[in-house]
PDB file of all heavy atoms in Angstrom:
ATOM      1  N   GLU N  30    -210.960  72.126  11.908  1.00 55.00           N
ATOM      2  CA  GLU N  30    -211.065  73.488  11.233  1.00 55.00           C
ATOM      3  C   GLU N  30    -211.843  73.322   9.920  1.00 55.00           C
ATOM      4  O   GLU N  30    -212.001  72.240   9.327  1.00 55.00           O
ATOM      5  CB  GLU N  30    -209.701  74.015  10.960  1.00 55.00           C
ATOM      6  CG  GLU N  30    -208.878  73.176   9.973  1.00 55.00           C
ATOM      7  CD  GLU N  30    -207.449  73.733   9.795  1.00 55.00           C
ATOM      8  OE1 GLU N  30    -206.706  73.630  10.774  1.00 55.00           O
ATOM      9  OE2 GLU N  30    -207.139  74.203   8.740  1.00 55.00           O
ATOM     10  N   ARG N  31    -212.498  74.457   9.531  1.00 61.00           N
ATOM     11  CA  ARG N  31    -213.286  74.501   8.388  1.00 61.00           C
ATOM     12  C   ARG N  31    -212.493  74.266   7.121  1.00 61.00           C
ATOM     13  O   ARG N  31    -211.443  74.896   6.948  1.00 61.00           O
ATOM     14  CB  ARG N  31    -214.009  75.780   8.289  1.00 61.00           C
ATOM     15  CG  ARG N  31    -214.907  75.977   7.074  1.00 61.00           C
ATOM     16  CD  ARG N  31    -216.117  76.844   7.431  1.00 61.00           C
ATOM     17  NE  ARG N  31    -216.734  77.411   6.225  1.00 61.00           N
ATOM     18  CZ  ARG N  31    -217.239  76.732   5.253  1.00 61.00           C
ATOM     19  NH1 ARG N  31    -217.157  75.397   5.202  1.00 61.00           N
ATOM     20  NH2 ARG N  31    -217.812  77.304   4.231  1.00 61.00           N
ATOM     21  N   VAL N  32    -212.939  73.395   6.257  1.00 65.00           N
ATOM     22  CA  VAL N  32    -212.262  73.078   4.953  1.00 65.00           C
ATOM     23  C   VAL N  32    -213.197  73.556   3.885  1.00 65.00           C
ATOM     24  O   VAL N  32    -214.381  73.281   3.881  1.00 65.00           O
ATOM     25  CB  VAL N  32    -211.971  71.553   4.850  1.00 65.00           C
ATOM     26  CG1 VAL N  32    -211.375  71.208   3.561  1.00 65.00           C
ATOM     27  CG2 VAL N  32    -211.164  71.056   6.047  1.00 65.00           C
ATOM     28  N   THR N  33    -212.618  74.209   2.904  1.00 61.00           N
ATOM     29  CA  THR N  33    -213.455  74.690   1.718  1.00 61.00           C
ATOM     30  C   THR N  33    -213.080  73.725   0.524  1.00 61.00           C
ATOM     31  O   THR N  33    -212.059  73.085   0.534  1.00 61.00           O
ATOM     32  CB  THR N  33    -213.084  76.101   1.333  1.00 61.00           C
ATOM     33  OG1 THR N  33    -211.751  76.201   0.878  1.00 61.00           O
ATOM     34  CG2 THR N  33    -213.276  77.046   2.541  1.00 61.00           C
ATOM     35  N   ASP N  34    -213.956  73.802  -0.434  1.00 64.00           N
ATOM     36  CA  ASP N  34    -213.746  72.938  -1.643  1.00 64.00           C
ATOM     37  C   ASP N  34    -212.512  73.331  -2.395  1.00 64.00           C
ATOM     38  O   ASP N  34    -211.916  72.521  -3.135  1.00 64.00           O
ATOM     39  CB  ASP N  34    -214.989  72.796  -2.543  1.00 64.00           C
ATOM     40  CG  ASP N  34    -215.472  74.188  -3.049  1.00 64.00           C
ATOM     41  OD1 ASP N  34    -215.016  75.198  -2.540  1.00 64.00           O
ATOM     42  OD2 ASP N  34    -216.301  74.158  -4.015  1.00 64.00           O
ATOM     43  N   ASP N  35    -212.034  74.536  -2.201  1.00 70.00           N
ATOM     44  CA  ASP N  35    -210.760  74.966  -2.868  1.00 70.00           C
ATOM     45  C   ASP N  35    -209.575  74.175  -2.248  1.00 70.00           C
ATOM     46  O   ASP N  35    -208.542  74.059  -2.986  1.00 70.00           O
ATOM     47  CB  ASP N  35    -210.531  76.498  -2.714  1.00 70.00           C
ATOM     48  CG  ASP N  35    -211.544  77.287  -3.505  1.00 70.00           C
ATOM     49  OD1 ASP N  35    -212.082  76.765  -4.501  1.00 70.00           O
ATOM     50  OD2 ASP N  35    -211.774  78.482  -3.156  1.00 70.00           O
ATOM     51  N   ASP N  36    -209.672  73.789  -1.067  1.00 76.00           N
ATOM     52  CA  ASP N  36    -208.569  73.061  -0.362  1.00 76.00           C
ATOM     53  C   ASP N  36    -208.605  71.569  -0.642  1.00 76.00           C
ATOM     54  O   ASP N  36    -207.670  70.866  -0.344  1.00 76.00           O
ATOM     55  CB  ASP N  36    -208.737  73.180   1.186  1.00 76.00           C
ATOM     56  CG  ASP N  36    -208.734  74.649   1.652  1.00 76.00           C
ATOM     57  OD1 ASP N  36    -207.976  75.474   1.062  1.00 76.00           O
ATOM     58  OD2 ASP N  36    -209.463  74.871   2.567  1.00 76.00           O
ATOM     59  N   CYS N  37    -209.690  71.085  -1.275  1.00 87.00           N
ATOM     60  CA  CYS N  37    -209.946  69.622  -1.351  1.00 87.00           C
ATOM     61  C   CYS N  37    -209.698  69.077  -2.717  1.00 87.00           C
ATOM     62  O   CYS N  37    -209.797  69.727  -3.718  1.00 87.00           O
ATOM     63  CB  CYS N  37    -211.438  69.395  -1.009  1.00 87.00           C
ATOM     64  SG  CYS N  37    -211.873  69.854   0.610  1.00 87.00           S
ATOM     65  N   ILE N  38    -209.252  67.787  -2.667  1.00 90.00           N
ATOM     66  CA  ILE N  38    -209.158  66.968  -3.829  1.00 90.00           C
ATOM     67  C   ILE N  38    -209.931  65.722  -3.491  1.00 90.00           C
ATOM     68  O   ILE N  38    -210.174  65.376  -2.391  1.00 90.00           O
ATOM     69  CB  ILE N  38    -207.693  66.650  -4.284  1.00 90.00           C
ATOM     70  CG1 ILE N  38    -206.930  66.059  -3.035  1.00 90.00           C
ATOM     71  CG2 ILE N  38    -206.999  67.864  -4.795  1.00 90.00           C
ATOM     72  CD1 ILE N  38    -205.501  65.640  -3.406  1.00 90.00           C
ATOM     73  N   LEU N  39    -210.305  64.952  -4.488  1.00 93.00           N
ATOM     74  CA  LEU N  39    -211.043  63.718  -4.319  1.00 93.00           C
ATOM     75  C   LEU N  39    -209.990  62.630  -4.355  1.00 93.00           C
ATOM     76  O   LEU N  39    -209.198  62.411  -5.307  1.00 93.00           O
ATOM     77  CB  LEU N  39    -212.035  63.494  -5.402  1.00 93.00           C
ATOM     78  CG  LEU N  39    -213.014  62.306  -5.207  1.00 93.00           C
ATOM     79  CD1 LEU N  39    -213.790  62.476  -3.947  1.00 93.00           C
ATOM     80  CD2 LEU N  39    -213.934  62.159  -6.414  1.00 93.00           C
ATOM     81  N   ILE N  40    -209.936  61.885  -3.192  1.00 95.00           N
ATOM     82  CA  ILE N  40    -208.930  60.795  -3.045  1.00 95.00           C
ATOM     83  C   ILE N  40    -209.663  59.546  -2.776  1.00 95.00           C
ATOM     84  O   ILE N  40    -210.499  59.482  -1.842  1.00 95.00           O
ATOM     85  CB  ILE N  40    -207.908  61.114  -1.911  1.00 95.00           C
ATOM     86  CG1 ILE N  40    -207.240  62.473  -2.121  1.00 95.00           C
ATOM     87  CG2 ILE N  40    -206.931  59.948  -1.755  1.00 95.00           C
ATOM     88  CD1 ILE N  40    -206.464  62.963  -0.939  1.00 95.00           C
ATOM     89  N   VAL N  41    -209.347  58.526  -3.552  1.00 95.00           N
ATOM     90  CA  VAL N  41    -210.007  57.206  -3.394  1.00 95.00           C
ATOM     91  C   VAL N  41    -208.932  56.168  -3.113  1.00 95.00           C
ATOM     92  O   VAL N  41    -207.935  56.096  -3.861  1.00 95.00           O
ATOM     93  CB  VAL N  41    -210.803  56.766  -4.683  1.00 95.00           C
ATOM     94  CG1 VAL N  41    -211.421  55.405  -4.473  1.00 95.00           C
ATOM     95  CG2 VAL N  41    -211.896  57.795  -4.919  1.00 95.00           C
ATOM     96  N   GLN N  42    -209.100  55.361  -2.065  1.00 96.00           N
ATOM     97  CA  GLN N  42    -208.156  54.263  -1.784  1.00 96.00           C
ATOM     98  C   GLN N  42    -209.037  53.028  -1.769  1.00 96.00           C
ATOM     99  O   GLN N  42    -209.927  52.880  -0.991  1.00 96.00           O
ATOM    100  CB  GLN N  42    -207.452  54.379  -0.444  1.00 96.00           C
ATOM    101  CG  GLN N  42    -206.560  53.223  -0.162  1.00 96.00           C
ATOM    102  CD  GLN N  42    -205.895  53.342   1.193  1.00 96.00           C
ATOM    103  OE1 GLN N  42    -206.567  53.115   2.204  1.00 96.00           O
ATOM    104  NE2 GLN N  42    -204.605  53.789   1.243  1.00 96.00           N
ATOM    105  N   ARG N  43    -208.718  52.134  -2.743  1.00 95.00           N
ATOM    106  CA  ARG N  43    -209.501  50.883  -2.846  1.00 95.00           C
ATOM    107  C   ARG N  43    -208.583  49.780  -2.470  1.00 95.00           C
ATOM    108  O   ARG N  43    -207.533  49.537  -3.103  1.00 95.00           O
ATOM    109  CB  ARG N  43    -210.007  50.637  -4.280  1.00 95.00           C
ATOM    110  CG  ARG N  43    -210.870  49.350  -4.366  1.00 95.00           C
ATOM    111  CD  ARG N  43    -211.317  49.151  -5.844  1.00 95.00           C
ATOM    112  NE  ARG N  43    -210.251  48.778  -6.623  1.00 95.00           N
ATOM    113  CZ  ARG N  43    -210.304  47.718  -7.487  1.00 95.00           C
ATOM    114  NH1 ARG N  43    -211.422  47.061  -7.640  1.00 95.00           N
ATOM    115  NH2 ARG N  43    -209.202  47.338  -8.158  1.00 95.00           N
ATOM    116  N   VAL N  44    -208.894  49.071  -1.376  1.00 96.00           N
ATOM    117  CA  VAL N  44    -208.094  47.925  -0.866  1.00 96.00           C
ATOM    118  C   VAL N  44    -208.850  46.630  -1.219  1.00 96.00           C
ATOM    119  O   VAL N  44    -209.990  46.427  -0.806  1.00 96.00           O
ATOM    120  CB  VAL N  44    -207.831  48.004   0.635  1.00 96.00           C
ATOM    121  CG1 VAL N  44    -207.087  46.748   1.113  1.00 96.00           C
ATOM    122  CG2 VAL N  44    -207.125  49.311   1.009  1.00 96.00           C
ATOM    123  N   VAL N  45    -208.229  45.856  -2.074  1.00 94.00           N
ATOM    124  CA  VAL N  45    -208.889  44.630  -2.604  1.00 94.00           C
ATOM    125  C   VAL N  45    -208.132  43.429  -1.994  1.00 94.00           C
ATOM    126  O   VAL N  45    -206.931  43.350  -2.117  1.00 94.00           O
ATOM    127  CB  VAL N  45    -208.861  44.528  -4.117  1.00 94.00           C
ATOM    128  CG1 VAL N  45    -209.411  43.202  -4.607  1.00 94.00           C
ATOM    129  CG2 VAL N  45    -209.578  45.719  -4.761  1.00 94.00           C
ATOM    130  N   VAL N  46    -208.868  42.521  -1.417  1.00 94.00           N
ATOM    131  CA  VAL N  46    -208.366  41.216  -0.959  1.00 94.00           C
ATOM    132  C   VAL N  46    -208.957  40.179  -1.891  1.00 94.00           C
ATOM    133  O   VAL N  46    -210.240  40.063  -1.945  1.00 94.00           O
ATOM    134  CB  VAL N  46    -208.689  41.010   0.530  1.00 94.00           C
ATOM    135  CG1 VAL N  46    -208.120  39.622   0.908  1.00 94.00           C
ATOM    136  CG2 VAL N  46    -208.125  42.077   1.397  1.00 94.00           C
ATOM    137  N   ARG N  47    -208.128  39.434  -2.579  1.00 92.00           N
ATOM    138  CA  ARG N  47    -208.594  38.450  -3.623  1.00 92.00           C
ATOM    139  C   ARG N  47    -208.156  37.037  -3.242  1.00 92.00           C
ATOM    140  O   ARG N  47    -206.944  36.892  -2.915  1.00 92.00           O
ATOM    141  CB  ARG N  47    -208.057  38.859  -4.943  1.00 92.00           C
ATOM    142  CG  ARG N  47    -208.525  38.003  -6.099  1.00 92.00           C
ATOM    143  CD  ARG N  47    -208.017  38.497  -7.426  1.00 92.00           C
ATOM    144  NE  ARG N  47    -208.514  39.865  -7.699  1.00 92.00           N
ATOM    145  CZ  ARG N  47    -207.825  40.775  -8.358  1.00 92.00           C
ATOM    146  NH1 ARG N  47    -206.598  40.585  -8.782  1.00 92.00           N
ATOM    147  NH2 ARG N  47    -208.367  41.990  -8.569  1.00 92.00           N
ATOM    148  N   TRP N  48    -209.023  36.070  -3.262  1.00 90.00           N
ATOM    149  CA  TRP N  48    -208.649  34.679  -3.014  1.00 90.00           C
ATOM    150  C   TRP N  48    -209.371  33.722  -3.924  1.00 90.00           C
ATOM    151  O   TRP N  48    -210.409  34.088  -4.522  1.00 90.00           O
ATOM    152  CB  TRP N  48    -208.849  34.328  -1.494  1.00 90.00           C
ATOM    153  CG  TRP N  48    -210.301  34.321  -1.041  1.00 90.00           C
ATOM    154  CD1 TRP N  48    -211.083  33.249  -0.875  1.00 90.00           C
ATOM    155  CD2 TRP N  48    -211.048  35.475  -0.636  1.00 90.00           C
ATOM    156  NE1 TRP N  48    -212.354  33.675  -0.390  1.00 90.00           N
ATOM    157  CE2 TRP N  48    -212.331  35.029  -0.225  1.00 90.00           C
ATOM    158  CE3 TRP N  48    -210.830  36.861  -0.578  1.00 90.00           C
ATOM    159  CZ2 TRP N  48    -213.320  35.861   0.200  1.00 90.00           C
ATOM    160  CZ3 TRP N  48    -211.819  37.697  -0.109  1.00 90.00           C
ATOM    161  CH2 TRP N  48    -213.048  37.200   0.280  1.00 90.00           C
ATOM    162  N   SER N  49    -208.937  32.478  -3.992  1.00 86.00           N
ATOM    163  CA  SER N  49    -209.439  31.505  -4.882  1.00 86.00           C
ATOM    164  C   SER N  49    -210.511  30.655  -4.136  1.00 86.00           C
ATOM    165  O   SER N  49    -210.671  30.732  -2.941  1.00 86.00           O
ATOM    166  CB  SER N  49    -208.373  30.557  -5.374  1.00 86.00           C
ATOM    167  OG  SER N  49    -207.855  29.806  -4.374  1.00 86.00           O
ATOM    168  N   LYS N  50    -211.127  29.815  -4.932  1.00 81.00           N
ATOM    169  CA  LYS N  50    -212.144  28.826  -4.372  1.00 81.00           C
ATOM    170  C   LYS N  50    -211.437  27.966  -3.330  1.00 81.00           C
ATOM    171  O   LYS N  50    -212.044  27.569  -2.317  1.00 81.00           O
ATOM    172  CB  LYS N  50    -212.717  28.017  -5.531  1.00 81.00           C
ATOM    173  CG  LYS N  50    -213.924  27.177  -5.113  1.00 81.00           C
ATOM    174  CD  LYS N  50    -214.481  26.566  -6.401  1.00 81.00           C
ATOM    175  CE  LYS N  50    -215.674  25.713  -6.122  1.00 81.00           C
ATOM    176  NZ  LYS N  50    -216.274  25.075  -7.293  1.00 81.00           N
ATOM    177  N   GLN N  51    -210.181  27.595  -3.563  1.00 82.00           N
ATOM    178  CA  GLN N  51    -209.462  26.715  -2.625  1.00 82.00           C
ATOM    179  C   GLN N  51    -209.107  27.460  -1.370  1.00 82.00           C
ATOM    180  O   GLN N  51    -208.754  26.813  -0.352  1.00 82.00           O
ATOM    181  CB  GLN N  51    -208.163  26.227  -3.279  1.00 82.00           C
ATOM    182  CG  GLN N  51    -208.391  25.242  -4.478  1.00 82.00           C
ATOM    183  CD  GLN N  51    -208.902  25.956  -5.762  1.00 82.00           C
ATOM    184  OE1 GLN N  51    -208.571  27.105  -5.989  1.00 82.00           O
ATOM    185  NE2 GLN N  51    -209.715  25.272  -6.506  1.00 82.00           N
ATOM    186  N   GLY N  52    -209.138  28.791  -1.395  1.00 82.00           N
ATOM    187  CA  GLY N  52    -208.743  29.546  -0.210  1.00 82.00           C
ATOM    188  C   GLY N  52    -209.887  29.985   0.719  1.00 82.00           C
ATOM    189  O   GLY N  52    -209.811  30.975   1.325  1.00 82.00           O
ATOM    190  N   ARG N  53    -210.958  29.161   0.745  1.00 81.00           N
ATOM    191  CA  ARG N  53    -212.193  29.526   1.512  1.00 81.00           C
ATOM    192  C   ARG N  53    -212.243  29.073   2.902  1.00 81.00           C
ATOM    193  O   ARG N  53    -213.099  29.477   3.624  1.00 81.00           O
ATOM    194  CB  ARG N  53    -213.422  29.017   0.714  1.00 81.00           C
ATOM    195  CG  ARG N  53    -213.664  29.633  -0.599  1.00 81.00           C
ATOM    196  CD  ARG N  53    -214.948  29.152  -1.179  1.00 81.00           C
ATOM    197  NE  ARG N  53    -215.000  27.765  -1.316  1.00 81.00           N
ATOM    198  CZ  ARG N  53    -216.039  27.082  -1.799  1.00 81.00           C
ATOM    199  NH1 ARG N  53    -217.129  27.720  -2.115  1.00 81.00           N
ATOM    200  NH2 ARG N  53    -215.991  25.771  -1.852  1.00 81.00           N
ATOM    201  N   GLY N  54    -211.326  28.244   3.352  1.00 80.00           N
ATOM    202  CA  GLY N  54    -211.407  27.635   4.701  1.00 80.00           C
ATOM    203  C   GLY N  54    -211.149  28.611   5.826  1.00 80.00           C
ATOM    204  O   GLY N  54    -210.761  29.737   5.664  1.00 80.00           O
ATOM    205  N   ALA N  55    -211.371  28.155   7.089  1.00 83.00           N
ATOM    206  CA  ALA N  55    -211.202  28.951   8.252  1.00 83.00           C
ATOM    207  C   ALA N  55    -209.779  29.463   8.455  1.00 83.00           C
ATOM    208  O   ALA N  55    -209.631  30.608   8.805  1.00 83.00           O
ATOM    209  CB  ALA N  55    -211.630  28.108   9.511  1.00 83.00           C
ATOM    210  N   GLU N  56    -208.802  28.624   8.187  1.00 85.00           N
ATOM    211  CA  GLU N  56    -207.448  29.067   8.311  1.00 85.00           C
ATOM    212  C   GLU N  56    -207.073  30.183   7.366  1.00 85.00           C
ATOM    213  O   GLU N  56    -206.463  31.183   7.746  1.00 85.00           O
ATOM    214  CB  GLU N  56    -206.442  27.861   8.073  1.00 85.00           C
ATOM    215  CG  GLU N  56    -205.031  28.243   8.356  1.00 85.00           C
ATOM    216  CD  GLU N  56    -204.124  26.982   8.100  1.00 85.00           C
ATOM    217  OE1 GLU N  56    -204.545  25.828   8.443  1.00 85.00           O
ATOM    218  OE2 GLU N  56    -203.032  27.202   7.642  1.00 85.00           O
ATOM    219  N   ALA N  57    -207.543  30.093   6.092  1.00 83.00           N
ATOM    220  CA  ALA N  57    -207.307  31.143   5.163  1.00 83.00           C
ATOM    221  C   ALA N  57    -208.094  32.393   5.528  1.00 83.00           C
ATOM    222  O   ALA N  57    -207.597  33.527   5.319  1.00 83.00           O
ATOM    223  CB  ALA N  57    -207.718  30.672   3.710  1.00 83.00           C
ATOM    224  N   ALA N  58    -209.305  32.256   5.978  1.00 83.00           N
ATOM    225  CA  ALA N  58    -210.079  33.395   6.412  1.00 83.00           C
ATOM    226  C   ALA N  58    -209.442  34.122   7.548  1.00 83.00           C
ATOM    227  O   ALA N  58    -209.390  35.379   7.611  1.00 83.00           O
ATOM    228  CB  ALA N  58    -211.539  32.965   6.796  1.00 83.00           C
ATOM    229  N   THR N  59    -208.830  33.433   8.453  1.00 87.00           N
ATOM    230  CA  THR N  59    -208.154  34.048   9.616  1.00 87.00           C
ATOM    231  C   THR N  59    -206.934  34.853   9.057  1.00 87.00           C
ATOM    232  O   THR N  59    -206.712  35.982   9.465  1.00 87.00           O
ATOM    233  CB  THR N  59    -207.633  32.980  10.584  1.00 87.00           C
ATOM    234  OG1 THR N  59    -208.771  32.341  11.089  1.00 87.00           O
ATOM    235  CG2 THR N  59    -206.832  33.590  11.721  1.00 87.00           C
ATOM    236  N   ARG N  60    -206.220  34.290   8.131  1.00 88.00           N
ATOM    237  CA  ARG N  60    -205.085  35.004   7.492  1.00 88.00           C
ATOM    238  C   ARG N  60    -205.606  36.281   6.786  1.00 88.00           C
ATOM    239  O   ARG N  60    -204.990  37.364   6.911  1.00 88.00           O
ATOM    240  CB  ARG N  60    -204.397  34.122   6.537  1.00 88.00           C
ATOM    241  CG  ARG N  60    -203.156  34.723   5.949  1.00 88.00           C
ATOM    242  CD  ARG N  60    -202.287  33.731   5.188  1.00 88.00           C
ATOM    243  NE  ARG N  60    -201.159  34.409   4.680  1.00 88.00           N
ATOM    244  CZ  ARG N  60    -200.455  34.027   3.681  1.00 88.00           C
ATOM    245  NH1 ARG N  60    -200.814  32.944   3.012  1.00 88.00           N
ATOM    246  NH2 ARG N  60    -199.418  34.696   3.264  1.00 88.00           N
ATOM    247  N   ARG N  61    -206.676  36.234   6.100  1.00 89.00           N
ATOM    248  CA  ARG N  61    -207.259  37.397   5.393  1.00 89.00           C
ATOM    249  C   ARG N  61    -207.666  38.505   6.335  1.00 89.00           C
ATOM    250  O   ARG N  61    -207.526  39.690   6.091  1.00 89.00           O
ATOM    251  CB  ARG N  61    -208.401  37.027   4.500  1.00 89.00           C
ATOM    252  CG  ARG N  61    -208.012  36.321   3.224  1.00 89.00           C
ATOM    253  CD  ARG N  61    -209.133  36.223   2.228  1.00 89.00           C
ATOM    254  NE  ARG N  61    -210.318  35.551   2.751  1.00 89.00           N
ATOM    255  CZ  ARG N  61    -210.520  34.217   2.730  1.00 89.00           C
ATOM    256  NH1 ARG N  61    -209.537  33.438   2.227  1.00 89.00           N
ATOM    257  NH2 ARG N  61    -211.613  33.692   3.192  1.00 89.00           N
ATOM    258  N   ARG N  62    -208.192  38.038   7.511  1.00 89.00           N
ATOM    259  CA  ARG N  62    -208.619  39.064   8.490  1.00 89.00           C
ATOM    260  C   ARG N  62    -207.482  39.921   9.032  1.00 89.00           C
ATOM    261  O   ARG N  62    -207.737  41.033   9.522  1.00 89.00           O
ATOM    262  CB  ARG N  62    -209.318  38.377   9.695  1.00 89.00           C
ATOM    263  CG  ARG N  62    -210.791  38.192   9.534  1.00 89.00           C
ATOM    264  CD  ARG N  62    -211.523  37.852  10.811  1.00 89.00           C
ATOM    265  NE  ARG N  62    -211.127  36.516  11.304  1.00 89.00           N
ATOM    266  CZ  ARG N  62    -211.647  35.346  10.821  1.00 89.00           C
ATOM    267  NH1 ARG N  62    -212.609  35.430   9.883  1.00 89.00           N
ATOM    268  NH2 ARG N  62    -211.320  34.218  11.306  1.00 89.00           N
ATOM    269  N   ASN N  63    -206.286  39.425   8.940  1.00 91.00           N
ATOM    270  CA  ASN N  63    -205.108  40.159   9.432  1.00 91.00           C
ATOM    271  C   ASN N  63    -204.523  41.165   8.407  1.00 91.00           C
ATOM    272  O   ASN N  63    -203.571  41.832   8.714  1.00 91.00           O
ATOM    273  CB  ASN N  63    -204.055  39.198   9.907  1.00 91.00           C
ATOM    274  CG  ASN N  63    -204.476  38.501  11.173  1.00 91.00           C
ATOM    275  OD1 ASN N  63    -205.115  39.080  12.049  1.00 91.00           O
ATOM    276  ND2 ASN N  63    -204.226  37.209  11.244  1.00 91.00           N
ATOM    277  N   ILE N  64    -205.119  41.179   7.222  1.00 93.00           N
ATOM    278  CA  ILE N  64    -204.602  42.104   6.170  1.00 93.00           C
ATOM    279  C   ILE N  64    -205.197  43.475   6.498  1.00 93.00           C
ATOM    280  O   ILE N  64    -206.363  43.622   6.716  1.00 93.00           O
ATOM    281  CB  ILE N  64    -205.053  41.606   4.754  1.00 93.00           C
ATOM    282  CG1 ILE N  64    -204.438  40.233   4.466  1.00 93.00           C
ATOM    283  CG2 ILE N  64    -204.706  42.639   3.701  1.00 93.00           C
ATOM    284  CD1 ILE N  64    -205.038  39.593   3.260  1.00 93.00           C
ATOM    285  N   PRO N  65    -204.343  44.487   6.492  1.00 94.00           N
ATOM    286  CA  PRO N  65    -204.837  45.843   6.723  1.00 94.00           C
ATOM    287  C   PRO N  65    -205.882  46.269   5.694  1.00 94.00           C
ATOM    288  O   PRO N  65    -205.785  45.864   4.539  1.00 94.00           O
ATOM    289  CB  PRO N  65    -203.613  46.744   6.597  1.00 94.00           C
ATOM    290  CG  PRO N  65    -202.411  45.845   6.688  1.00 94.00           C
ATOM    291  CD  PRO N  65    -202.901  44.541   6.259  1.00 94.00           C
TER     292      PRO N  65
END
Side-chain angles (χ1 to χ4, degrees):
E30 65 185 67
R31 178 148 160 61
V32 177
T33 67
D34 59 346
D35 292 337
D36 302 323
C37 297
I38 54 175
L39 189 60
I40 303 168
V41 178
Q42 180 182 76
R43 184 181 74 132
V44 179
V45 176
V46 179
R47 184 178 296 145
W48 66 98
S49 70
K50 191 174 180 180
Q51 293 74 30
R53 295 186 301 176
E56 185 178 323
T59 298
R60 185 170 181 205
R61 285 192 302 276
R62 269 193 293 278
N63 291 320
I64 298 168

